[in-house]
Amino acid sequence: MESLDLTDADAHKLISILKKTVSKNKYVLTEGSKGRIKITGKLDGIEHQFVLYYMYAIDNIHLNFADSSTGYTLVRINLDSSFHNNSDGKVRGHRVELFSETEFKAKHDTFTHYKAYPLPHNSFKDCDDFFTALQQIFDYTNVKNHKSISFIENNILSI
């Protein structure tokens, strides 16, 4: 892949079309929970599909909000002790990764299309809690209507 099928402006537009929240239900996670959450957004009456991949383990939480049509990560939160290699160096530990055309060009590895930042970063706070991180992604992407969300592979138990 020599070029991205998405620009920074496109990524911001995709994120901004979600004007929908999560209902305030109580959920329980079990060790090893992982799955996908389908999210639908609308802009000018046209629906667009997103997917939020999640994985939960003790000291190893990943939330990856992606565009369904391109598969590109728009925003990802990693709460673990690992690292991500940016073009300008490693980011270790808890981090947020944001879509970046600039990083794609700078890294020049035909794959990496996001840049990592250590937490806290901008509106993202550092935490160790899955649901706090999930709410931060929903806040960042303006997901507000629980009807826009459907669990595809559900390992999260509603109580």
Side-chain angles (χ1 to χ4, degrees):
M1 172 172 47
E2 292 300 317
S3 66
L4 289 168
D5 295 329
L6 204 61
T7 65
D8 286 338
D10 293 334
H12 291 291
K13 183 177 177 183
L14 289 174
I15 290 168
S16 71
I17 70 172
L18 294 172
K19 301 293 180 196
K20 311 220 175 237
T21 261
V22 173
S23 59
K24 300 292 181 189
N25 295 333
K26 291 184 180 180
Y27 296 96
V28 175
L29 284 170
T30 57
E31 179 73 16
S33 290
K34 62 182 174 179
R36 298 178 295 156
I37 301 170
K38 178 182 166 185
I39 301 171
T40 303
K42 274 189 178 181
L43 180 63
D44 299 329
I46 299 170
E47 285 192 354
H48 194 87
Q49 301 297 315
F50 301 90
V51 65
L52 176 68
Y53 299 94
Y54 64 88
M55 195 271 298
Y56 170 80
I58 303 299
D59 298 325
N60 192 11
I61 296 168
H62 300 267
L63 296 161
N64 182 12
F65 188 88
D67 172 46
S68 288
S69 63
T70 63
Y72 293 147
T73 294
L74 300 174
V75 58
R76 177 181 171 117
I77 295 177
N78 291 310
L79 304 177
D80 59 25
S81 59
S82 187
F83 64 90
H84 176 80
N85 281 320
N86 283 337
S87 60
D88 58 356
K90 286 185 181 181
V91 175
R92 297 183 184 279
H94 293 189
R95 61 204 177 277
V96 62
E97 297 164 355
L98 302 173
F99 182 89
S100 172
E101 257 185 294
T102 304
E103 184 66 9
F104 176 79
K105 291 173 184 172
K107 192 102 182 249
H108 198 59
D109 64 1
T110 71
F111 173 76
T112 306
H113 55 273
Y114 45 83
K115 184 165 183 154
Y117 302 91
L119 290 174
H121 176 76
N122 291 341
S123 63
F124 294 96
K125 297 179 177 37
D126 196 2
C127 67
D128 290 313
D129 179 69
F130 177 91
F131 292 108
T132 300
L134 180 64
Q135 188 60 55
Q136 287 186 80
I137 282 194
F138 286 150
D139 290 346
Y140 182 77
T141 58
N142 297 315
V143 175
K144 298 189 184 307
N145 178 353
H146 69 278
K147 291 178 184 172
S148 71
I149 298 167
S150 18
F151 287 88
I152 299 171
E153 298 165 15
N154 186 7
N155 292 322
I156 299 177
L157 306 174
S158 179
I159 57 173

